[in-house]
Amino acid sequence: GRAARAAGVGGDSGLARLLDNAHITSITNVFDEDPPGAARSFSRFAAAGGRGPARARATRLVEIKVARGTSPAQLAAHVARMQEVEYAFVPPVRRLFARRRKSRAAPLASRQWGHGAVRLAHARDAQGFKNAANITVAVVDSGIDTSHPDLKHAISEYKNFLRGSDKDFVGHGTHVAGIVAATANNGLGISGVCGGKILALKALPRDGQEFDPTAYYRALRYVIGKASVLNLSLGGEKDPAEIDILRDVIGAGVVVIAAMGNEYEEGNPTEYPAAIREVCAVGATDEL
C-alpha cells in the first residue's frame, strides 16, 4: 500500500485493487525526482519562448511489475482503460543501430570517408567556425571504454543504469562516441566529428540479456541539465513513455538526434524515437 501511495495511486483506485488481488506485485515511480538543474532548464526554455507549458510530463510514469501467471499484454490493455491512467503498455525493446560489421583490416584513414561526405573540412574552414569544446553530447548506448586512448580525454561523465559491470561488452557505445568526439590530431585511431565532451550513459544490454526499459527511461531523463545534445543510435517500435520523456528533454533545451535505422532491405520500417516530430532523424549513406 505504501508503494502504491508513493507512486500517486489512491487506495480506492483500480490499480490498488489489482495490487490487492495479486495481479501485480508492485507499483513504483520510474523517476524519484527531477534531475539536478531540471527546473532551471525548463524555466530558461520557457523564458526563451519554448512551445507549450514548461511542465514535465514524464514525472508521473510508473513501473508495474506483473505477477507470475498474468499476461502483461492483457493487463496493460485493462489498465489502459482505467479513468486515472493516461496510457499503459508493454515497453518495446530498443535495438542498437550502426553496429560495426566484421571486415578485412584496413588503414584507419580509409574509414574516414564520412567526413568528406558531410563536408566537414569545408565547415572547419568557414569563417566563424567554432569547435564544440564547450558542448556535451550525451550518448545513451551500451557504455563506453573509459580507457580508450582516443576517448579517455573526451569523457565528462560515465554512468551505468544497468546492474552489473560498467564494461562496454558490445562495443557499440564506444564506436558511436568515437564518431562524435574521438580526439583529433593526436596520432591515434580516428578523428571525431567534433571536439565535444561525452556524457556516456549505459542503458542497453549486451547480446542475450533482457532489455530494461526502466533503466533506459532513467538514462534518457538524466541528460537534463547535463548535456546540450542527446545522441540515440538505436530504435524500435513506438513507445509513449519514451515520447513523453524525450519531450521533457527537448523542453529543457536539449537537441535530440536519433537514427532512422539500417533496414533498407527490409523496407525501411518506421523507427522510434527518430519518428517523433521534435527529434532530428538521421539517415545513413555509403561511400558511393
Side-chain angles (χ1 to χ4, degrees):
R2 285 195 302 272
R5 286 192 296 275
V9 177
D12 58 346
S13 72
L15 284 175
R17 287 193 294 274
L18 287 173
L19 194 62
D20 290 339
N21 294 332
H23 291 294
I24 59 180
T25 60
S26 66
I27 305 172
T28 55
N29 283 316
V30 171
F31 306 109
D32 294 330
E33 58 186 14
D34 281 341
R40 183 172 62 256
S41 297
F42 276 108
S43 62
R44 184 173 63 248
F45 179 72
R51 290 182 301 157
R55 181 177 60 87
R57 285 180 51 80
T59 53
R60 301 312 306 159
L61 186 65
V62 298
E63 177 187 32
I64 297 174
K65 289 193 175 181
V66 180
R68 187 180 298 275
T70 299
S71 165
Q74 290 180 1
L75 185 73
H78 174 72
V79 171
R81 292 191 292 269
M82 295 181 179
Q83 186 175 359
E84 69 266 31
V85 175
E86 184 174 346
Y87 53 72
F89 64 100
V90 178
V93 172
R94 284 293 173 260
R95 308 183 312 278
L96 295 168
F97 291 149
R99 184 167 299 180
R100 291 174 293 179
R101 296 180 180 179
K102 293 181 179 179
S103 62
R104 296 189 304 272
L108 293 181
S110 70
R111 303 180 189 181
Q112 299 272 257
W113 60 263
H115 287 193
V118 299
R119 303 186 71 189
L120 185 60
H122 293 270
R124 288 175 172 163
D125 289 339
Q127 185 176 1
F129 173 82
K130 294 181 180 179
N131 205 358
N134 296 324
I135 300 295
T136 298
V137 179
V139 177
V140 174
D141 215 287
S142 61
I144 195 169
D145 180 357
T146 57
S147 64
H148 195 292
D150 227 4
L151 284 172
K152 60 183 181 180
H153 298 299
I155 302 170
S156 65
E157 182 184 352
Y158 182 22
K159 186 173 178 64
N160 182 2
F161 287 85
L162 300 176
R163 301 178 184 88
S165 172
D166 291 341
K167 186 176 180 180
D168 181 8
F169 292 102
V170 181
H172 187 273
T174 302
H175 174 53
V176 170
I179 293 173
V180 175
T183 305
N185 302 320
N186 63 348
L188 294 171
I190 63 170
S191 173
V193 172
C194 73
K197 297 297 183 182
I198 296 293
L199 169 60
L201 305 175
K202 181 174 179 176
L204 276 293
R206 63 195 299 181
D207 294 342
Q209 291 189 339
E210 187 175 353
F211 172 67
D212 184 342
T214 299
Y216 174 64
Y217 297 151
R218 288 171 177 163
L220 293 180
R221 192 166 170 79
Y222 186 77
V223 308
I224 295 177
K226 292 179 175 288
S228 301
V229 180
L230 168 58
N231 182 87
L232 299 169
S233 296
L234 50 83
E237 297 176 4
K238 189 174 183 179
D239 180 335
E242 178 186 59
I243 292 173
D244 272 351
I245 295 166
L246 288 180
R247 284 179 173 160
D248 285 354
V249 172
I250 294 165
V254 179
V255 177
V256 178
I257 313 294
M260 294 169 62
N262 300 321
E263 290 85 20
Y264 173 79
E265 295 179 353
E266 288 77 39
N268 286 329
T270 300
E271 297 284 359
Y272 283 84
I276 300 173
R277 181 183 294 272
E278 298 88 348
V279 169
C280 179
V282 177
T285 184
D286 58 22
E287 192 168 0
L288 301 178

